[in-house]
């Protein structure tokens, strides 16, 4: 037999061996998928039975609890088996690589109504992870009942909303709206229905997280002064750090705390870039072709990033911040962080399941429109708003349906033609069984 024939025979054996390994892996995956469906049908039936059947004897409850425990153990075993892969026909275990993509988890429900204390989490089951993935991908593609989740409003959930300027005497002038007097100082709306801080008769202590203050801390200051909330403000911008150090007024507030780090998708140091109004943002300006400066078919390439200042600044995830400050629930979270809202919220959904708060107000930066539907349908925002809805939150305010486009010509030059902004607010009206349940009614 010639060398070529031997090589061909060896390659054929290798191919046959690989095909057998692939077939075994495919069969195992199919079997586990079927087993997963069966387990969840059984678990669902048992849970339904637990809800509708009142045990007549203590032994009935104990037997049902044993069944549920057994089902959970079997599912955990299946999740472990899903981590088994084949290599040369031999099963080997590969650990989840969370360097970039997290394995999602959720907060475990708390039985008390306190805002402080430790919280626990658990990993999502396989079926929960599949549904989570489905919610993110289908909503981003507008493949669902509503292609405009970004802009869907539920104004009836809040009878009285406020940007808090009404409580600032310097913003009140006859014949003028407060936002005409205090321009840009009170951009975020909250719902006043049922919001009773410690300074309101019959109220309770409240906790507010204020992400992004620049030199305009009015939102957090008003939540502190008017409602008596414990306020934590976060901003790593050099301009904000210097502003706080020079502000004797802020430092004199008893329960107002400034933290010189930002919010992000991981804990550590990240590069943030020079942004407008002395702030820092997450967006790095890309190189672009200057079409107005061409010679013989060759155009100038501009590198704006070479002149854009870069800052290595500390950031932390929302779960890490809550652990550090000893909080397990927040009344109001405000986010205005020049593009980092996406990483903050993605980490929040991955690690906590749902926002651990009653109200969430955020300024969206740099989002695009779906060209099929135009204003009100953004792939990036459809996904996040769908997850907010899944967690029992409803959007009761937006500054403008579909947001407003940037007026800076540099983005046009960089071929970033669809850079938009908006400010929106959500209120939690119900708890989701796969999300964090609020500790108590306010």
């Amino acid at each position: 037999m010639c060398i070529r024939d031997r090589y061909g025979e060896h390659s054929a054996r290798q191919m046959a061996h690989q095909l057998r390994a692939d077939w075994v892996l495919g069969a195992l995956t199919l079997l586990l998928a079927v087993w997963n469906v069966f387990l969840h049908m059984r678990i669902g039936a048992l849970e339904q039975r637990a809800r509708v059947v009142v045990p007549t004897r203590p032994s009935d409850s104990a037997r049902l609890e044993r069944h549920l425990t057994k089902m959970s153990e079997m599912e955990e075993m299946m999740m472990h088996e899903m981590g088994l892969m084949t290599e040369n026909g031999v099963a080997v275990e590969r650990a989840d690589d969370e360097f970039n993509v997290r394995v999602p988890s959720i907060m475990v429900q708390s039985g008390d109504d306190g805002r402080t204390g430790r919280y626990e989490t658990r990993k999502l089951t396989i079926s929960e992870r599949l549904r989570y993935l489905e919610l993110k991908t289908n909503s981003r593609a507008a493949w669902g009942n509503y292609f405009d989740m970004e802009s869907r409003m539920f104004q009836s959930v809040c009878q009285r909303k406020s940007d808090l300027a009404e409580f600032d005497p310097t913003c009140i002038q006859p014949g003028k709206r407060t936002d005409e007097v205090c321009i840009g100082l009170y951009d975020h709306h909250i719902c006043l229905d049922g919001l009773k801080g410690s300074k309101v008769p019959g109220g309770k202590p409240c906790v507010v997280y204020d992400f992004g203050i620049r030199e305009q801390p009015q939102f957090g200051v008003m939540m502190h002064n008017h409602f008596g909330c414990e306020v934590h403000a976060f901003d790593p911008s050099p301009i904000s750090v210097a502003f706080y150090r020079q502000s004797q007024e802020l430092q004199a507030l008893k329960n107002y705390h400034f933290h010189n780090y930002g919010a992000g998708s991981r804990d550590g140091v990240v590069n943030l870039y020079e942004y407008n109004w002395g702030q820092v943002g997450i967006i790095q300006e890309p190189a672009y072709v200057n079409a107005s400066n061409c010679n013989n078919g060759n155009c100038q390439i501009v590198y704006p990033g070479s002149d854009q200042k870069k800052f290595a600044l500390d950031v932390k995830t929302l779960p890490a911040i809550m652990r550090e400050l000893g909080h397990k629930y927040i009344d109001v979270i405000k986010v205005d962080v020049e593009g980092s809202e996406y990483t903050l919220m993605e980490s929040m959904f991955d690690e906590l399941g749902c926002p651990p708060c009653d109200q969430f107000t955020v300024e969206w930066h740099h989002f695009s429109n779906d060209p099929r539907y135009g204003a009100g349908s953004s792939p990036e925002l459809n996904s996040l708003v769908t997850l907010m809805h899944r967690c029992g939150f409803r959007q009761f305010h937006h500054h403008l349906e579909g947001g407003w486009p940037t007026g800076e010509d540099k983005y046009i030059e960089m071929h970033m033609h669809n850079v938009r902004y908006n400010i929106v607010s959500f209120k939690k009206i119900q708890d989701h069984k796969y999300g964090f349940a609020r500790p108590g009614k306010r």
Side-chain angles (χ1 to χ4, degrees):
M1 183 181 296
C2 68
I3 295 177
R4 181 181 301 172
D5 292 339
R6 291 178 180 176
Y7 178 78
E9 182 181 354
H10 176 70
S11 298
R13 286 199 301 269
Q14 269 194 330
M15 184 176 297
H17 182 77
Q18 184 62 44
L19 287 173
R20 285 195 298 273
D22 291 343
W23 185 89
V24 171
L25 177 59
L28 177 61
T29 303
L30 178 61
L31 179 62
L32 289 174
V34 174
W35 182 241
N36 181 38
V37 173
F38 170 75
L39 282 179
H40 278 279
M41 290 176 62
R42 290 285 296 148
I43 292 173
L46 288 171
E47 288 178 340
Q48 183 67 21
R49 179 182 173 187
R51 286 192 291 267
V52 301
V53 177
V54 178
T56 57
R57 298 186 304 274
S59 59
D60 293 336
S61 297
R63 184 167 63 253
L64 184 58
E65 183 65 29
R66 286 196 301 271
H67 277 299
L68 290 173
T69 301
K70 184 177 180 181
M71 291 294 101
S72 297
E73 291 174 349
M74 294 174 71
E75 185 169 26
E76 288 180 6
M77 180 182 68
M78 183 202 68
M79 290 176 66
H80 173 75
E81 294 297 329
M82 288 290 284
L84 297 179
M85 305 292 287
T86 60
E87 194 170 273
N88 295 327
V90 180
V92 295
E93 183 175 2
R94 293 181 179 171
D96 283 313
D97 180 4
E98 296 191 63
F99 175 77
N100 185 36
V101 179
R102 294 170 288 265
V103 175
S105 58
I106 62 171
M107 290 182 80
V108 177
Q109 293 185 3
S110 174
D112 61 75
D113 64 351
R115 267 49 184 159
T116 60
R118 296 182 60 83
Y119 63 85
E120 303 295 332
T121 62
R122 69 164 176 83
K123 297 294 185 183
L124 266 61
T125 64
I126 292 294
S127 60
E128 290 170 348
R129 289 171 67 176
L130 287 173
R131 179 56 178 163
Y132 180 43
L133 179 62
E134 189 175 48
L135 285 167
K136 290 189 293 185
T137 55
N138 283 24
S139 58
R140 185 179 179 90
W143 192 298
N145 295 325
Y146 301 98
F147 60 81
D148 56 349
M149 280 298 293
E150 170 219 329
S151 59
R152 295 199 67 78
M153 296 287 290
F154 299 85
Q155 295 180 343
S156 62
V157 306
C158 180
Q159 300 304 311
R160 187 187 173 196
K161 66 179 181 180
S162 172
D163 62 2
L164 304 182
E166 63 185 272
F167 305 116
D168 187 341
T170 64
C171 298
I172 308 299
Q173 290 187 13
K176 290 187 177 182
R177 300 192 315 268
T178 55
D179 61 343
E180 293 177 316
V181 180
C182 295
I183 301 173
L185 299 184
Y186 294 96
D187 289 337
H188 292 263
H189 285 71
I190 62 171
C191 184
L192 300 182
D193 300 349
L195 179 62
K196 294 182 178 181
S198 60
K199 288 189 175 182
V200 179
K204 296 181 179 180
C206 50
V207 177
V208 174
Y209 279 11
D210 186 356
F211 291 98
I213 66 169
R214 193 163 58 98
E215 296 176 308
Q216 297 174 331
Q218 284 79 5
F219 178 88
V221 170
M222 190 58 66
M223 294 300 299
H224 175 279
N225 292 345
H226 186 78
F227 294 95
C229 293
E230 173 188 343
V231 176
H232 293 267
F234 308 86
D235 201 318
S237 303
I239 191 174
S240 299
V241 175
F243 171 75
Y244 179 76
R245 289 174 178 171
Q246 296 169 7
S247 176
Q248 296 181 358
E249 179 183 353
L250 285 181
Q251 296 180 37
L253 298 180
K254 180 180 178 180
N255 217 7
Y256 184 96
H257 312 277
F258 177 78
H259 307 272
N260 61 348
Y261 54 81
S265 61
R266 66 181 188 275
D267 304 321
V269 177
V270 301
N271 289 327
L272 296 176
Y273 301 90
E274 182 182 19
Y275 201 62
N276 50 18
W277 301 305
Q279 303 172 106
V280 295
I282 201 169
I283 192 167
Q284 183 179 15
E285 297 177 357
Y288 65 90
V289 174
N290 183 3
S292 62
N293 187 4
C294 302
N295 185 21
N296 296 325
N298 293 316
C299 300
Q300 177 194 20
I301 299 178
V302 181
Y303 300 91
S306 60
D307 297 324
Q308 188 183 19
K309 292 181 181 179
K310 181 168 64 175
F311 304 86
L313 300 174
D314 291 325
V315 298
K316 298 180 182 180
T317 63
L318 178 61
I321 293 171
M322 293 175 62
R323 287 192 296 268
E324 179 179 298
L325 300 181
H327 295 134
K328 60 183 178 181
Y329 201 78
I330 302 112
D331 291 87
V332 179
I333 297 178
K334 186 215 101 179
V335 181
D336 193 344
V337 289
E338 319 312 321
S340 292
E341 62 271 15
Y342 302 105
T343 60
L344 180 152
M345 295 183 70
E346 290 160 4
S347 168
M348 175 183 70
F349 284 121
D350 277 356
E351 298 187 62
L352 302 179
C354 290
C357 62
D358 282 334
Q359 298 192 50
F360 193 95
T361 175
V362 57
E363 179 170 357
W364 304 124
H365 296 78
H366 317 139
F367 66 89
S368 63
N369 281 337
D370 188 323
R372 296 173 297 174
Y373 306 115
S377 181
S378 164
E380 304 86 20
L381 302 189
N382 283 344
S383 182
L384 291 173
V385 176
T386 295
L387 293 177
M388 292 292 288
H389 191 277
R390 186 278 304 258
C391 289
F393 286 82
R394 299 294 181 267
Q395 187 173 211
F396 65 88
H397 170 81
H398 59 212
H399 184 79
L400 179 68
E401 184 172 0
W404 66 91
T406 179
E408 298 182 69
D409 58 359
K410 68 176 183 179
Y411 289 108
I412 304 301
E413 294 173 348
M414 294 180 218
H415 303 283
M416 299 173 65
H417 302 286
N418 201 1
V419 176
R420 310 184 73 82
Y421 304 84
N422 211 347
I423 303 174
V424 302
S425 299
F426 300 87
K427 180 185 177 184
K428 190 172 187 179
I429 63 169
Q430 64 186 31
D431 297 311
H432 191 277
K433 71 174 184 175
Y434 292 137
F436 178 71
R438 59 181 145 191
K441 303 287 184 182
R442 300 296 285 174

